Amino acid sequence: QVQLLESGGGLLQPWGSLRLSCAASGITFSIHTMSWYRQAPGKQRESVALITSSEATNYADSVKGRFTITRENAKKRVYLQMIRLKPEDTDVYYCKAQYGPHEYWGQGTQVTVSS
């Protein structure tokens, strides 16, 4: 059974930093492209960052220079380091694993940026 479990969300003030973690099980983690998405109520889910099996990365323009995605294959984890957070970064953040046509999602973790 595939499971992706996000953690690390919380409430913090603008300009703060946070690291999200996603722990995977039930998949051959190293071959999967791992991604972080986010979604606000009533809005479409959007891609934030991804990292391929060869560790190439890609970021949404809105987070470039502030967010960093990394992976640790030995621990089957992917991370999203976020700095200089803004109120508009407030969302539920989801982890996704993809290999070919197969994709799996976590349940999400809430990040709230507010003064």
Side-chain angles (χ1 to χ4, degrees):
Q1 183 179 359
V2 178
Q3 187 173 20
L4 298 178
L5 185 61
E6 301 96 335
S7 62
L11 170 64
L12 68 164
Q13 294 186 337
W15 289 91
S17 300
L18 202 62
R19 189 177 82 155
L20 305 182
S21 177
C22 172
S25 60
I27 59 172
T28 305
F29 182 81
S30 61
I31 66 173
H32 284 72
T33 290
M34 301 301 298
S35 303
W36 286 96
Y37 283 71
R38 64 186 182 185
Q39 186 173 25
K43 293 190 177 181
Q44 196 169 7
R45 192 170 294 189
E46 65 170 352
S47 175
V48 174
L50 70 80
I51 184 166
T52 69
S53 57
S54 58
E55 303 202 9
T57 58
N58 192 48
Y59 297 93
D61 287 342
S62 58
V63 307
K64 281 181 181 176
R66 298 188 300 121
F67 290 11
T68 303
I69 187 170
T70 57
R71 64 190 297 157
E72 197 170 1
N73 288 341
K75 293 186 177 181
K76 294 188 174 183
R77 285 181 178 264
V78 62
Y79 306 98
L80 187 67
Q81 179 68 50
M82 306 183 290
I83 65 171
R84 301 199 305 273
L85 281 158
K86 306 174 182 180
E88 50 264 44
D89 294 317
T90 295
D91 274 322
V92 178
Y93 284 71
Y94 297 90
C95 173
K96 185 181 86 170
Q98 184 165 9
Y99 180 69
H102 307 288
E103 61 179 49
Y104 311 97
W105 291 88
Q107 294 298 308
T109 185
Q110 176 71 46
V111 174
T112 302
V113 184
S114 175
S115 55

